[in-house]
DNA sequence: AAAATTGGTACTAACTTAGTCCCCAATCTT
DNA sequence: AAGATTGGGGACTAAGTTAGTACCAATTTT
């Protein structure tokens, strides 16, 4: 399938949530609570986003995460690629030796061009475009 | 990953091969031999392509497959969707109740629009664009 | 020093995909 | 009419990927 994975979807939700209040240091528990994503999963994704430089973190008892750039400066493709790696609809888009039947392959398709089109489309979506919907429910779930 | 599956990749190679000689009735063994795709896999894909109407089949000892339309009338998206189903980068692109956190989702992204952009890009690629590369090796493999 | 928080890694389970095989139906050749 | 060849359909197995969890180390505040 040509599909964005669940984890990446979650990452977008998490980033959108943090982006609502860019100056605040949001903690894992708070983010998990309000996005309704399981806490371990939330923590895992936050670590990855921080490692890739999309979030800056602070340790310690009053620690948390915040954006490194403004919500209008972060595009969907950055978030997607920070979780999934480079976007490549076909193996051969990545380079020569990723395709199993490379030597015998008889097709000559403009995959690279198509790939670029998709990337470009995803670049136009900024984090600031993603938080239009109000949060449905807050502070109702248990703290596990 | 946002990626076209191997089987779909094979399907494109197979269609491109058949499209080289649109009037000829190509047989599974011949296709498998020249595309270097395992015969059972080739057969499986040919059945699906025929079922979706991209190929017409003839049974019997001189049977085989051929295109139902000209190579310039078949686009990459048709082949992709005939193997993978409707292209949907996010679950919510398919409709309301495909997303696990639908009720609590706080993002409002133009996924449908992005999806349409990708589909449009893949529609511009016709089967006739795919067979530019010469066949590397013919008639060298064993017949298993 | 204690409590709270992030950082990193390893591990398990579930799901999806890839690939194979078998038997049936249809058609052609002899 | 019989036999050979080909496609049709489905079931099954194995492998790989993804999702999710848990644990312990490092850091900071109080």
């Amino acid at each position: 399938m040509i599909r964005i994975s669940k984890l990446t979807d979650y990452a977008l939700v998490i980033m959108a949530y943090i982006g609502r209040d860019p100056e605040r240091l949001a903690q894992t528990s708070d983010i998990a609570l309000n996005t309704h994503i399981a806490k371990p999963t939330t923590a895992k994704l936050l670590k990855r986003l921080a490692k890739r430089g999309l979030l800056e973190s602070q340790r310690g008892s009053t620690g948390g995460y915040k954006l490194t750039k403004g919500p209008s400066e972060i595009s969907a493709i950055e978030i997607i690629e920070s979780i999934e790696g480079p976007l490549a609809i076909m193996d051969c888009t990545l380079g020569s030796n990723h395709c199993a039947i490379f030597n015998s392959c008889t097709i000559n398709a403009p995959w690279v061009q198509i790939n670029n089109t998709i990337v470009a489309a995803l670049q136009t979506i900024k984090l600031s475009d993603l938080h239009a919907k109000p949060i449905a429910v807050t502070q109702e779930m248990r703290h596990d």
Side-chain angles (χ1 to χ4, degrees), chain A:
Chain A
M1 297 278 183
I2 304 180
R3 180 156 296 181
I4 291 174
S5 74
K6 266 191 191 181
L7 288 178
T8 306
D9 189 357
Y10 295 160
L12 287 160
V13 173
I14 288 170
M15 289 293 285
Y17 175 74
I18 297 174
R20 291 176 154 235
D21 195 349
E23 296 310 314
R24 177 171 153 254
L25 214 54
Q27 296 167 348
T28 304
S29 307
D30 168 65
I31 296 166
L33 191 63
N34 285 294
T35 58
H36 296 178
I37 299 165
K39 192 174 169 183
T41 305
T42 304
K44 180 187 191 175
L45 289 168
L46 286 167
K47 290 170 195 170
R48 281 163 88 159
L49 291 165
K51 198 167 191 178
R52 306 305 168 112
L54 289 176
L55 294 175
E56 60 186 54
S57 63
Q58 190 168 15
R59 291 188 176 188
S61 58
T62 57
Y65 297 92
K66 56 179 272 193
L67 303 183
T68 53
K69 296 185 283 188
S72 59
E73 298 173 283
I74 301 177
S75 65
I77 188 68
E78 291 181 77
I79 300 168
I80 292 169
E81 293 198 327
S82 73
I83 301 295
E84 307 196 349
L87 190 147
I89 58 167
M90 301 281 278
D91 286 328
C92 41
T93 317
L94 282 172
S96 47
N97 286 27
H98 286 83
C99 177
I101 60 168
F102 184 77
N103 289 327
S104 58
C105 179
T106 60
I107 70 177
N108 189 13
W111 298 128
V112 174
Q113 188 182 327
I114 296 292
N115 211 73
N116 290 343
T117 303
I118 297 172
V119 170
L122 290 170
Q123 268 169 348
T124 66
I125 304 183
K126 303 301 182 185
L127 191 54
S128 49
D129 302 325
L130 300 187
H131 48 67
K133 259 170 78 176
I135 294 183
V137 184
T138 47
Q139 308 287 344
E140 74 159 11
M141 292 185 79
R142 62 196 195 283
H143 284 69
D144 59 333

